[in-house]
Amino acid sequence: MSESRATWTKYSSPQAFYPLAGKLIPWFAGLAMICLAAGLYIGFLVAPTDFQQGDSYRIIFVHVPAAWMSMFLYVVMAGWAAVGLGLKARPSFMMAQAIAPTGALFTFLALFTGAFWGKPTWGAWWVWDARLTSELILLFQYAGVMLLHASIDDLRRADRASAVLALVGVVNVPIIYFSVRWWNTLHQGASVSMTAAPKMAATMLSAMGIMALGFWMYSAAVALMRVRCIILERERQASWAQIERGA
Amino acid sequence: MQWGSLNEFLAMGGYGAYVWPSFGATALCMIWEVLLLRRRHAAIRAALHQSAASVEVAS
């Protein structure tokens, strides 16, 4: 790496990003644990039983945050991919690569917990309605981005190809989000809306919100943990990584 | 709080068989992901140690 690079590229180098990520992880992890503990406390011990769904509704305290994260992380991943393509910045590609598995995990969890909510509520583990189907496609999209990256040996080509695939796939995110409005889905409409009064009791809403915040902090911590692994694996030939082994 | 006993809490109004697997799977996946990443980080650090040691031996 040449010394004459502009300052901003120096700060966006993997070498500078590695220790910064390391410093941020404990904060995000700590906040995640606080939020998740508070969310579970409110969700199980404060929030009342739903008069229609009984206690099965409590599944939404993990289902809705997981579903939100599955879509949000995809957009963030595609955003890093776009920055990487635009600026040819390696750390941006690394961030995109670091986010994909966590996004896939939350997509799986949204589908899994959704099935366990659907069975007692609808009487079916799965239905091929627009919301569920488009979310399943999102899982395949995450898998596609990861597999494409893994299947190309040349890292620069792998970065660019998987970034393009991630970007093209962004069209599915608004489809998932608006599917309950555009089609007559079995899946219910949005529980939280910017424009309408909430359809849930305040304690239920706050449990869901705090859990979502916890998932958000968790995702940040885990993505940074993974990007540190990716940086070390990719830069293992560089002398700074050799020095970093003791840190 | 609305739960009279631990059993009542675990039964979740008859929906325990759906509520607990949902939360259990979520917790397991999240803990598993963190453990895998810790192992991956430790493994790459160990590999860097080894390659550094072999460089020292060679020189």
Side-chain angles (χ1 to χ4, degrees), chain A residues 86-201:
Chain A
L87 301 177
K88 297 186 169 56
R90 276 180 308 147
S92 307
F93 287 127
M94 292 178 183
M95 275 309 294
Q97 201 194 338
I99 289 167
T102 305
L105 186 79
F106 278 124
T107 311
F108 164 75
L109 285 173
L111 293 166
F112 184 90
T113 57
F116 275 82
W117 180 86
K119 183 63 184 166
T121 315
W122 300 335
W125 298 101
W126 180 264
V127 289
W128 291 101
D129 91 346
R131 174 52 77 76
L132 279 69
T133 308
S134 54
E135 181 77 5
L136 181 65
I137 290 170
L138 186 71
L139 184 63
F140 297 151
Q141 287 179 267
Y142 276 119
V145 169
M146 288 190 281
L147 284 172
L148 184 63
H149 195 283
S151 67
I152 302 174
D153 285 332
D154 179 358
L155 276 176
R156 286 174 58 193
R157 280 187 57 218
D159 279 342
R160 283 204 304 269
S162 58
V164 169
L165 183 62
L167 270 176
V168 171
V170 162
V171 293
N172 191 29
V173 174
I175 293 177
I176 299 170
Y177 188 78
F178 291 109
S179 59
V180 287
R181 262 199 258 167
W182 291 345
W183 292 283
N184 186 16
T185 52
L186 183 57
H187 195 286
Q188 67 200 43
S191 310
V192 182
S193 159
M194 297 287 186
T195 49
K199 300 184 183 82
M200 298 160 70

Side-chain angles (χ1 to χ4, degrees), chain A:
Chain A
M1 203 156 290
S2 77
E3 299 271 321
S4 59
R5 279 192 159 196
T7 317
W8 71 269
T9 43
K10 209 153 92 187
Y11 282 116
S12 71
S13 75
Q15 182 178 358
F17 189 45
Y18 182 87
L20 176 68
K23 284 199 193 85
L24 289 173
I25 290 168
W27 292 97
F28 283 122
L31 286 170
M33 283 191 267
I34 293 166
C35 288
L36 293 177
L40 288 173
Y41 175 80
I42 299 171
F44 277 112
L45 300 177
V46 180
T49 302
D50 187 75
F51 77 99
Q52 267 183 328
Q53 297 181 18
D55 287 306
S56 71
Y57 92 92
R58 290 180 205 275
I59 292 170
I60 68 158
F61 296 144
V62 280
H63 173 70
V64 173
W68 280 345
M69 290 313 299
S70 72
M71 293 185 280
F72 176 70
L73 286 176
Y74 194 93
V75 174
V76 175
M77 175 182 76
W80 282 115
V83 171
L85 287 171
L87 301 177
K88 297 186 169 56
R90 276 180 308 147
S92 307
F93 287 127
M94 292 178 183
M95 275 309 294
Q97 201 194 338
I99 289 167
T102 305
L105 186 79
F106 278 124
T107 311
F108 164 75
L109 285 173
L111 293 166
F112 184 90
T113 57
F116 275 82
W117 180 86
K119 183 63 184 166
T121 315
W122 300 335
W125 298 101
W126 180 264
V127 289
W128 291 101
D129 91 346
R131 174 52 77 76
L132 279 69
T133 308
S134 54
E135 181 77 5
L136 181 65
I137 290 170
L138 186 71
L139 184 63
F140 297 151
Q141 287 179 267
Y142 276 119
V145 169
M146 288 190 281
L147 284 172
L148 184 63
H149 195 283
S151 67
I152 302 174
D153 285 332
D154 179 358
L155 276 176
R156 286 174 58 193
R157 280 187 57 218
D159 279 342
R160 283 204 304 269
S162 58
V164 169
L165 183 62
L167 270 176
V168 171
V170 162
V171 293
N172 191 29
V173 174
I175 293 177
I176 299 170
Y177 188 78
F178 291 109
S179 59
V180 287
R181 262 199 258 167
W182 291 345
W183 292 283
N184 186 16
T185 52
L186 183 57
H187 195 286
Q188 67 200 43
S191 310
V192 182
S193 159
M194 297 287 186
T195 49
K199 300 184 183 82
M200 298 160 70
T203 47
M204 296 178 186
L205 205 61
S206 58
M208 202 167 83
I210 294 166
M211 288 296 282
L213 201 61
F215 277 26
W216 202 13
M217 296 296 121
Y218 168 88
S219 303
V222 169
L224 289 174
M225 284 175 79
R226 188 174 289 109
V227 85
R228 268 163 68 91
C229 294
I230 292 169
I231 290 172
L232 280 190
E233 282 158 7
R234 286 205 193 185
E235 310 274 312
R236 57 194 305 173
Q237 309 305 334
S239 56
W240 76 266
Q242 298 286 341
I243 295 156
E244 204 65 50
R245 73 188 190 270

Side-chain angles (χ1 to χ4, degrees), chain B residues 4-28:
Chain B
S5 67
L6 182 65
N7 278 339
E8 220 178 286
F9 178 69
L10 291 177
M12 274 290 137
Y15 293 109
Y18 301 102
V19 173
W20 297 120
S22 298
F23 281 82
T26 307
L28 274 180

